Amino acid sequence: MPGCTLVMDTSASPLLVALEKDGKVFSARRTGIKQEKLLFPVLNRLLGKAEASLPDISRVLIIRGPGRFTGIRIALTFASMMQMLNHTQVLGVTLFEVLAYQAQHTRSYPQWCKQHPTGRLAVVLHAFREEYFLQILDDTHAGPQWLGRGELLRQLAQYPLPLFIVGTDSGFQPLEGLLENQYTLAPYRACRVQARTLLQLAQAEIGTEQPLEPLYLKPARFELEGVK
């Protein structure tokens, strides 16, 4: 598809934005939870570097959750406006899909699968305080969940098959401290969203089904109650 491809993760801090034009990639991360103030200065800077403008963006891929209600809503609003005003193709993926993709493309995952042919891949992400998001990728387990720390550990301990886990703890720290080496963990680089991955998913046109359907998991009222 001609034009530029824009990908973004506004689900939490740091904000990640990347722009691809003619094979060249321009990307930036910015720390802070007020993505509504961070997004457009970052985007304008990347467009300037690429010598492009908003009408040149022919494809947008966003993270549609889980994460902060406000952050997810910003990406959804931006993408829907680009779709309506610019006829931009919109793609939407979840953090679970992105990190699972990254884990599956590590060197260690295929080797682990050979050693554990019945094993499954799981994504664990810190949400807020003592809360986590969980998804185990199989055909029978419950879908994405928002769990307290204790319930998360119980569910993982009770799962009957070996697990290869990708994700991060609070402050994007590795999961070793939480899981105490009970599971095989993905390399740390695979545990944080990479701009290159989002661009690959956009090029493959993954995320075409319900791209603007948010995956909040945690209701907005809990986020608001946590703000002092």
Side-chain angles (χ1 to χ4, degrees), residues 8-10 12-17 29-45 68 70-75 78:
M8 62 175 67
D9 178 10
T10 63
S13 179
L15 169 77
L16 171 63
V17 183
R29 290 184 191 266
R30 293 292 183 272
T31 301
I33 63 172
K34 294 186 177 181
Q35 286 89 346
E36 69 276 12
K37 295 183 178 180
L38 296 173
L39 176 58
F40 284 101
V42 170
L43 177 56
N44 287 334
R45 191 173 298 111
R68 295 186 68 249
T70 303
I72 296 170
R73 186 175 58 191
I74 290 166
F78 176 83

Side-chain angles (χ1 to χ4, degrees), residues 43-203:
L43 177 56
N44 287 334
R45 191 173 298 111
L46 295 183
L47 287 169
K49 289 182 178 180
E51 298 182 349
S53 60
L54 284 176
D56 296 321
I57 298 173
S58 57
R59 180 188 290 137
V60 173
L61 181 141
I62 61 170
I63 300 289
R64 58 185 185 87
R68 295 186 68 249
F69 176 84
T70 303
I72 296 170
R73 186 175 58 191
I74 290 166
L76 293 170
T77 301
F78 176 83
S80 63
M81 292 301 294
M82 289 292 291
Q83 184 182 63
M84 181 175 63
L85 298 177
N86 202 40
H87 304 292
T88 300
Q89 180 187 19
V90 173
L91 308 168
V93 293
T94 69
L95 283 174
F96 298 119
E97 292 171 322
V98 174
L99 295 185
Y101 179 91
Q102 291 183 170
Q104 290 164 346
H105 287 77
T106 62
R107 291 183 179 180
S108 55
Y109 182 70
Q111 297 173 353
W112 181 86
C113 289
K114 290 181 180 180
Q115 297 172 355
H116 305 88
T118 63
R120 295 293 184 268
L121 177 61
V123 182
V124 174
L125 294 167
H126 181 260
F128 182 70
R129 294 182 180 173
E130 293 291 302
E131 302 161 5
Y132 292 84
F133 300 125
L134 167 68
Q135 184 168 20
I136 299 176
L137 281 70
D138 64 16
D139 297 328
T140 60
H141 197 68
Q145 299 177 81
W146 166 43
L147 303 168
R149 183 178 185 274
E151 181 59 25
L152 167 73
L153 297 178
R154 282 192 293 274
Q155 288 208 24
L156 292 175
Q158 293 170 3
Y159 193 75
L161 301 175
L163 288 173
F164 186 98
I165 299 180
V166 59
T168 52
D169 203 346
S170 176
F172 290 99
Q173 293 299 307
L175 288 169
E176 282 88 348
L178 173 70
L179 302 179
E180 299 178 351
N181 299 319
Q182 298 179 52
Y183 308 92
T184 302
L185 303 182
Y188 183 69
R189 179 172 175 78
C191 296
R192 299 194 67 181
V193 175
Q194 303 296 325
R196 181 177 64 178
T197 301
L198 299 184
L199 288 167
Q200 289 173 346
L201 295 176
Q203 184 176 9

